[in-house]
C-alpha cells in the first residue's frame, strides 16, 4: 500500500480544525459529540484523510462509551496498532495504515466474535452510505 504523506499545512487545507487535531495531533473528541456515535446507517467507514476503507457498518455496535465502536476492521492491513502510554495508562492506538491518521484505540472488552472494541473518533471517519 502506498503511503500518503503530507505536510501539516497540506493537512490543514484538507481537514477541519477538529479533524486535524484528532487525526494529526492524536486528539480525542468529547464523548457523545461525534456525528457517528449513534449512527446506524449501512455503509463503509473510511479514513477522513485518505479514503481508505476501515470499518464496515455491519460491525458497529453500541458500546455505551459515546464513540463509534466496531468489533473488527474491514481488513487488518488497513489499520496499524501501536502502544500508547499517554494519560497514565497503557492502551493500543489505532492508526490508518495508509496516511497514519490517529483513529482511536482498541480494547479487549468488545462483543463476540472478536472480543475487541475499536473505539474510534467520528472526526477521523467518513461514512460512505450503502
Amino acid at each position: 500500500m502506498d503511503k500518503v504523506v503530507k505536510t501539516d499545512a497540506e493537512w490543514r487545507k484538507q481537514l477541519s480544525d477538529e479533524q486535524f487535531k484528532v487525526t494529526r495531533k492524536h486528539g480525542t473528541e468529547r464523548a457523545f459529540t461525534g456525528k457517528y456515535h449513534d449512527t446506524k446507517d449501512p455503509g463503509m467507514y473510511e479514513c477522513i484523510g485518505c479514503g481508505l476503507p476501515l470499518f464496515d457498518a455491519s460491525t458497529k455496535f453500541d458500546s455505551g462509551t459515546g464513540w463509534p465502536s466496531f468489533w473488527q476492521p474491514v481488513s487488518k492491513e488497513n489499520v496499524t496498532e501501536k502502544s500508547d502510554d499517554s494519560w497514565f495508562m497503557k492502551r493500543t492506538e489505532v492508526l490508518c495504515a495508509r496516511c497514519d491518521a490517529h483513529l482511536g484505540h482498541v480494547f479487549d472488552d468488545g462483543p463476540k466474535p472478536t472480543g475487541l472494541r475499536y473505539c474510534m473518533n467520528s472526526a477521523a471517519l467518513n461514512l460512505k452510505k450503502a
Side-chain angles (χ1 to χ4, degrees):
M1 173 180 322
D2 290 335
K3 283 287 204 182
V4 172
V5 179
K6 297 182 182 185
T7 65
D8 277 357
E10 290 171 316
W11 284 119
R12 283 187 184 280
K13 285 182 184 175
Q14 176 183 337
L15 304 170
S16 72
D17 288 343
E18 182 176 32
Q19 290 167 338
F20 182 83
K21 181 188 82 163
V22 168
T23 62
R24 308 319 309 171
K25 299 301 178 186
H26 305 266
T28 301
E29 63 199 10
R30 287 191 345 254
F32 300 101
T33 64
K35 65 180 179 178
Y36 298 129
H37 85 272
D38 63 356
T39 299
K40 295 175 179 36
D41 296 330
M44 182 66 64
Y45 288 87
E46 300 175 336
C47 175
I48 198 70
C50 69
L52 185 68
L54 299 170
F55 298 95
D56 190 295
S58 66
T59 66
K60 189 172 187 279
F61 67 98
D62 183 2
S63 65
T65 62
W67 289 278
S69 297
F70 306 86
W71 48 266
Q72 77 178 11
V74 70
S75 170
K76 279 295 236 181
E77 289 75 35
N78 291 15
V79 295
T80 303
E81 297 178 6
K82 74 177 203 176
S83 181
D84 177 2
D85 297 325
S86 64
W87 295 97
F88 307 105
M89 63 181 99
K90 187 162 181 64
R91 300 179 293 175
T92 302
E93 180 181 16
V94 180
L95 304 157
C96 172
R98 185 168 25 192
C99 72
D100 293 326
H102 169 76
L103 305 171
H105 292 86
V106 62
F107 303 94
D108 62 3
D109 60 358
K112 292 180 180 182
T114 64
L116 298 174
R117 173 173 53 96
Y118 286 83
C119 190
M120 304 291 100
N121 288 284
S122 292
L125 305 172
N126 179 52
L127 175 59
K128 189 172 187 179
K129 294 183 181 178

